[in-house]
């Protein structure tokens, strides 16, 4: 059966070029495009055979790209990816990208060249889109690529709603959201959207502090904000890192948590299995996200139908930064 | 040129068996041993060609086994291993063993079958020794295997001495060491040895609390110890986890850190790059350890001489659990 590699060989171009032409998913010179189209016609190639061509040459290895392993969310996620892969008799090839787009592209090339069977990517680079084709077995975590790459995410919108709901239920009256915002489309923006949606529904006012990434000095910005808004008594932060800094600022201002101000974070991942989660936070289902990403790639390679996105439920963890 | 695989094939046994015979490094049946010796003689095989045979068939991948990735030390270590490998154009295949010896053996088999070019192992299993041969390009972190496996470690002995020295220098008079001890030979035992050595040299008394692993309830044990020894004013803990629990116990007992009791930990690894290291602790050179492990394997495969162990220097980090 004709596959994408035959087309690439016939046209004298790389696999990535062929997939970009097929999917119209990135820049290709007109003359190159013509060569690819001619090869497709000559070989009577049908693009929906792509999945099968990958399946036929299994390496039983999968790639994972994270910005850095040295971070509780990414290290726990990577642990669960490897755990699931091992159950399925796959090996994990792991990459810390540090958001270097060249390093990310090298893994996509490995995938195109059938050196790995699939790729799970957590990336915040904005240049990577043009190299990714939705015909490759790639699953993204959180980030929407602008093309149709499949992604797995936790339910950030419901997480934001849940945080607002818990703060109100536990007695806060004057709420605020604190966080940063990236220029790149990503799921975490839904956290503040959920928060606003819930409070708008209740006709409650709220304050927002949203800073453009990268934020130089979160502590100083939060301090200014809380000094200017000294009646705030309930805060939802974009993530646990912000929540911990916010609690420190509150203490520095001579107030107490949770008695004066309740704080809820987002992530819910401790540094290791041994550590207790003391913060009140919205917990991402890290293990389920990892398993779902792996299983989706397996399903793609087996030619099964998969969803375009998987949104997994979050939960509230009651720690010591909210009242009970 | 004849290599170890030819010998294995001729003898009709696995590579591991051949290397165990060559190195006399594990149990092999007498009849099997004879077959291997006959094959070696027939083929005129010279064991010092092993390194070259590995080099000739490079996969440009290296394996790393850690007990779990979800732990600051291991995740930072893995990050630096991948970082160094990427500089050398190698890929990392990563395994969370959870100390399951079967999973560890499967990676050693991959190495024996030339599916990876080398293996870096952090393992606390006591059964793994018999499967590891010193002719394979394996580097261990911390743990001594009973045979001649090369290892990289931080200078635990000097770390213990340094902790004792810093506690005395900063005014503590009645010192204690708190930690656990595994039945398996490992480098962390040198932490208490260094501590004792320094204090014996100064003719200072000290107390020790050393519990057999696994310790059920560190908090309760430390609390009992400090209640029975309520004059202690300086403590060195086996690692930062113990130090954090100890500080909690001291607060629970109504005392303060560092004014009443100074505490020094060991490891010095925060949960991520963003976090500050607040604890006073002996810092392991994690990046240097990772780079040294990778470079040692490369050197083995290039047939260069390598040391049997690499002991890398530690340093004292002044946090807020000691006086300045």
């Amino acid at each position: 059966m004709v596959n994408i590699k035959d087309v690439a060989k016939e046209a004298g171009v790389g696999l990535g070029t062929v997939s970009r032409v097929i999917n119209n998913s990135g820049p290709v010179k007109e003359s190159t495009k013509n060569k690819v189209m001619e090869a497709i016609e000559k070989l009577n190639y049908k693009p929906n055979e792509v999945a099968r061509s990958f399946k036929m040459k299994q390496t039983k290895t999968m790639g994972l790209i994270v910005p850095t392993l040295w971070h509780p969310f990414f290290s726990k996620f990577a642990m669960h990816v490897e755990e699931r892969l091992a159950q399925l008799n796959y090996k994990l090839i792991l990459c810390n990208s540090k958001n270097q787009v060249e390093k990310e592209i090298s893994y996509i090339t490995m995938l195109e060249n059938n050196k790995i069977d699939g790729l799970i990517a957590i990336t915040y680079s904005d240049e990577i889109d043009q190299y990714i084709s939705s015909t490759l077995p790639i699953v993204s975590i959180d980030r929407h690529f602008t093309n149709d790459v499949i992604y797995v995410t936790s339910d950030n919108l419901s997480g934001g709603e849940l945080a607002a709901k818990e703060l109100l239920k536990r007695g806060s009256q004057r709420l605020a959201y604190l966080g940063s915002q990236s220029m790149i489309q990503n799921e975490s923006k839904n956290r503040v959207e959920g928060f606003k949606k819930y409070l708008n529904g209740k006709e409650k006012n709220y304050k927002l502090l949203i800073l453009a990434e990268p934020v130089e000095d979160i502590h100083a910005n939060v301090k200014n904000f809380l000094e200017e808004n000294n009646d705030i008594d309930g805060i939802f932060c974009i993530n646990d890192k912000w929540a911990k800094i916010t609690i420190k600022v509150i203490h520095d201002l001579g107030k107490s948590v949770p008695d004066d101000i309740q704080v809820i974070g987002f992530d819910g991942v401790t540094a290791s299995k041994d550590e207790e989660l003391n913060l009140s936070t919205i917990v991402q289902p890290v293990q389920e996200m990892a398993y779902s990403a792996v299983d989706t790639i397996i399903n793609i390679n087996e030619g099964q139908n998969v969803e375009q996105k998987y949104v997994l439920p979050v939960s509230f963890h009651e720690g010591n930064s909210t009242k009970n």
Side-chain angles (χ1 to χ4, degrees), chain A:
Chain A
M1 199 165 294
V2 178
N3 66 31
I4 191 170
K5 292 177 79 174
D6 301 321
V7 174
K9 197 176 168 192
E10 177 70 30
V13 299
L15 289 176
T17 307
V18 177
S19 78
R20 281 197 291 281
V21 171
I22 294 169
N23 298 287
N24 201 17
S25 62
V28 181
K29 267 201 299 185
E30 201 59 36
S31 59
T32 309
K33 193 174 170 180
N34 289 338
K35 270 193 244 170
V36 172
M37 295 309 288
E38 278 161 28
I40 287 173
E41 203 158 335
K42 182 173 169 193
L43 298 174
N44 193 26
Y45 170 70
K46 289 179 190 61
N48 58 9
E49 288 164 12
V50 173
R52 195 172 300 156
S53 83
F54 276 102
K55 199 198 160 195
M56 283 162 65
K57 196 174 177 180
Q58 284 187 343
T59 61
K60 289 280 185 184
T61 59
M62 223 177 263
L64 170 63
I65 297 176
V66 291
T68 173
L69 258 187
W70 185 26
H71 182 288
F73 183 87
F74 300 133
S75 70
K76 184 171 197 286
F77 182 80
M79 175 187 78
H80 288 303
V81 166
E82 196 275 338
E83 181 179 87
R84 182 62 175 160
L85 289 173
Q87 289 168 7
L88 302 167
N89 204 24
Y90 275 70
K91 303 290 180 204
L92 172 67
I93 296 196
L94 194 134
C95 169
N96 293 281
S97 71
K98 296 176 190 164
N99 296 325
Q100 292 167 341
V101 74
E102 304 75 24
K103 212 168 168 187
E104 296 175 341
I105 293 168
S106 79
Y107 278 78
I108 295 164
T109 307
M110 283 171 71
L111 184 59
E112 290 174 334
N113 295 339
N114 279 348
K115 291 191 176 164
I116 49 178
D117 293 347
L119 183 61
I120 299 169
I122 305 184
T123 167
Y124 303 100
S125 316
D126 53 358
E127 306 155 70
I128 194 72
D129 262 359
Q130 59 189 296
Y131 298 96
I132 289 196
S133 144
S134 57
T135 57
L136 291 169
I138 296 181
V139 169
S140 160
I141 304 301
D142 269 3
R143 172 152 148 60
H144 296 243
F145 289 85
T146 49
N147 58 38
D148 313 328
V149 170
I150 290 164
Y151 68 97
V152 171
T153 179
S154 65
D155 191 344
N156 290 276
L157 192 78
S158 296
E161 293 176 325
L162 186 55
K165 188 178 164 188
E166 291 289 341
L167 287 170
L168 289 183
K169 195 179 95 185
R170 290 156 196 274
S172 291
Q173 291 293 328
R174 292 165 302 277
L175 304 194
Y177 167 87
L178 311 182
S180 60
Q181 186 163 300
S182 156
M183 291 299 291
I184 304 163
Q185 170 109 359
N186 76 73
E187 276 288 310
S188 66
K189 287 180 187 167
N190 286 330
R191 296 173 192 173
V192 63
E193 293 309 319
F195 182 79
K196 286 156 62 181
K197 187 180 159 197
Y198 187 85
L199 294 175
N200 290 338
K202 298 280 177 192
E203 295 185 354
K204 284 270 181 191
N205 292 328
Y206 49 80
K207 295 275 171 67
L208 303 175
L209 173 69
I210 300 178
L211 304 171
E213 293 177 6
V215 182
E216 287 276 311
D217 188 341
I218 299 175
H219 190 283
N221 280 290
V222 171
K223 189 152 180 275
N224 282 343
F225 177 83
L226 289 181
E227 281 171 341
E228 283 171 19
N229 299 277
N230 61 14
D231 61 337
I232 295 292
D233 63 1
I235 298 175
F236 172 46
C237 289
I238 187 166
N239 57 36
D240 290 347
K241 177 182 154 189
W242 274 70
K244 285 176 194 163
I245 294 171
T246 299
I247 289 170
K248 196 162 183 298
V249 171
I250 294 170
H251 291 150
D252 289 352
L253 293 172
K255 292 188 177 180
S256 75
V257 175
D259 289 340
D260 296 327
I261 309 181
Q262 301 192 90
V263 178
I264 294 180
F266 198 106
D267 275 344
V269 185
T270 54
S272 73
K273 196 184 167 189
D274 293 332
E275 274 185 48
E276 276 176 56
L277 184 55
N278 294 320
L279 189 71
S280 298
T281 187
I282 306 299
V283 180
Q284 298 207 61
V286 183
Q287 179 174 1
E288 290 77 4
M289 291 168 78
Y291 280 36
S292 175
V294 170
D295 293 353
T296 300
I297 288 178
I298 303 279
N299 288 339
I300 293 170
N301 285 345
E302 289 180 348
Q304 294 179 34
N305 286 330
V306 293
E307 303 292 325
Q308 212 272 319
K309 71 176 190 179
Y310 292 86
V311 181
L312 303 176
V314 296
S315 57
F316 175 67
H317 169 81
E318 182 179 326
N320 55 22
S321 61
T322 49
K323 300 176 208 167
N324 44 26

